[in-house]
Amino acid sequence: MERELALELVRVTEAAAIASAQWQGRGKKIEADDAATTAMRNMFDSVNMDGIVVIGEGELDEAPMLYIGERLGTGMGPKVDIAVDPLEGTNIVAKGTNNAIAVIAAGDKGTLLHAPDMYMEKIAVGKNAAGKISLLDPIEKTIDIVAEANNKRVRDVTVIIQERERHEEIVERVRAKGAKVKFFGDGDVGAAIATCLPQTGIDLFIGIGGAPEGVISAAAIKALDGDMQARLLPQSQAEEERVIDMGLKEPRQLLTLNDLVSGDDAIFSATGVSDGELVDGVRFLGGDLVETTSIVMRSKTKTVRYIKAYHHLEHKPHLIVE
């Protein structure tokens, strides 16, 4: 992939973030998601690439745009797989709370796992513990490994877990071990990536969430030299058959970081919609001036850029929500 593509994808996530942020706190998650999806899809038309959506808003009959299999870009430039979540955290935006982002992952054609929309069990850590953890290990053993890798006492290890009933047992075991639990609500992409950013203070991510979000997270974690493992959790015979159709012989087999993102040149771009672990949210500064903060990274070069941009909506009327 060309290095220019990384910066072009930032323009796409910026557009989605600006459009959806205008629904912040209004209690209308569908409208927020529609605004993000429309803005993202329209901006893709100007990107020089021959892209195909492998993770998107749904199948062709479920989503009017950014559907799985849709071709994106001008058709000129690198052939790439695209994974999108125009608004990770629709409920977050509706409630006006933190950690909503617009996010894209891209990889050379055929390198992103075509994860179906089902549950996935995941674990993620930063660079120091990379190669040392296993999703199959008891959580108590993993905490010891992460504590040693990060040169911390167990009591100082922070494990980030989505606040859901299905995680009650793991929360009890983490606390019984003596480590700290940090809860998050919706959207686990930012939570998984936070393990790779020392300034967050988060050492370990574990839990069950969406499979598409797992692949998107993996693209960033690979760029940050972290580590991630996962396994799909099909809930029905139909879901098991879909996993097998993807090419996995065993529906619940352990998936490594390289299984999730097999190439060495993945790009991840996220723009904050509301303030969060990764980036600040959209700021409406008065008049038509808007500030966005994005993070973009590329696994081939290990480059991580934080981009603060100022936008005049006077020149972007297509992003204005009435």
Side-chain angles (χ1 to χ4, degrees):
M1 291 187 292
E2 300 170 3
R3 65 169 58 95
E4 291 81 4
L5 181 58
L7 297 180
E8 287 297 295
L9 293 181
V10 175
R11 294 174 50 242
V12 179
T13 55
E14 285 174 345
I18 291 170
S20 58
Q22 293 169 74
W23 290 101
Q24 184 88 336
R26 296 190 183 187
K28 297 184 177 182
K29 66 177 185 178
I30 294 175
E31 289 82 352
D33 190 49
D34 286 347
T37 302
T38 301
M40 179 173 280
R41 177 62 185 84
N42 290 340
M43 190 61 73
F44 266 124
D45 285 339
S46 65
V47 178
N48 284 327
M49 66 176 188
D50 183 3
I52 185 166
V53 178
V54 298
I55 292 174
E57 291 293 274
E59 305 290 346
L60 175 59
D61 58 350
E62 299 172 351
M65 61 183 74
L66 296 179
Y67 54 83
I68 297 169
E70 183 176 9
R71 304 199 77 88
L72 300 175
T74 63
M76 299 180 290
K79 296 182 181 296
V80 294
D81 286 350
I82 298 291
V84 301
D85 196 341
L87 179 56
E88 203 216 8
T90 55
N91 287 323
I92 292 172
V93 172
K95 295 176 182 178
T97 54
N98 290 346
N99 281 309
I101 56 175
V103 62
I104 296 170
D108 290 320
K109 186 176 180 180
T111 60
L112 299 186
L113 180 73
H114 296 201
D117 189 8
M118 64 176 62
Y119 279 128
M120 175 184 272
E121 186 178 7
K122 318 170 207 178
I123 186 172
V125 292
K127 181 177 180 178
N128 293 339
K132 300 175 182 179
I133 53 105
S134 171
L135 185 60
L136 304 182
D137 282 341
I139 185 61
E140 294 83 0
K141 178 180 178 180
T142 300
I143 290 172
D144 282 334
I145 291 170
V146 172
E148 182 178 0
N150 288 343
N151 194 26
K152 291 185 175 182
R153 299 174 298 178
V154 166
R155 63 180 296 174
D156 296 324
V157 170
T158 298
V159 184
I160 191 165
I161 303 173
Q162 191 172 28
E163 191 172 17
R164 294 290 187 271
E165 184 177 345
R166 61 181 177 268
H167 293 144
E168 287 180 357
E169 180 186 350
I170 197 77
V171 168
E172 290 176 3
R173 290 172 63 184
V174 169
R175 287 173 169 166
K177 178 65 178 174
K180 295 180 287 188
V181 171
K182 180 172 183 177
F183 286 120
F184 68 96
D186 295 312
D188 64 14
V189 172
I193 297 168
T195 60
C196 300
L197 301 171
Q199 66 269 27
T200 66
I202 293 168
D203 302 285
L204 172 64
F205 164 88
I206 194 164
I208 297 170
E213 290 83 356
V215 177
I216 293 173
S217 302
I221 290 169
K222 195 161 197 175
L224 294 166
D225 281 336
D227 198 6
M228 181 175 182
Q229 292 186 359
R231 57 183 172 186
L232 293 165
L233 298 175
Q235 304 293 298
S236 65
Q237 183 65 34
E239 287 192 350
E240 288 202 6
E241 291 173 358
R242 182 167 182 189
V243 174
I244 293 171
D245 288 342
M246 287 169 48
L248 297 181
K249 295 180 180 179
E250 169 51 51
R252 291 174 174 80
Q253 73 184 62
L254 185 69
L255 300 170
T256 67
L257 184 61
N258 286 330
D259 292 323
L260 299 168
V261 179
S262 61
D264 64 353
D265 194 6
I267 293 171
F268 173 91
S269 175
T271 301
V273 178
S274 58
D275 291 348
E277 303 288 352
L278 284 183
V279 284
D280 293 333
V282 174
R283 304 273 194 271
F284 295 93
L285 302 178
D288 69 345
L289 187 62
V290 178
E291 176 188 279
T292 58
T293 305
S294 304
I295 183 172
V296 59
M297 54 190 87
R298 187 180 180 196
S299 60
K300 185 173 184 178
T301 61
K302 306 301 180 184
T303 303
V304 179
R305 289 184 173 91
Y306 286 90
I307 299 174
K308 191 175 290 290
Y310 296 89
H311 311 261
H312 291 273
L313 293 187
E314 174 187 355
H315 301 291
K316 300 180 179 181
H318 55 288
L319 297 181
I320 298 174
V321 172
E322 298 296 340

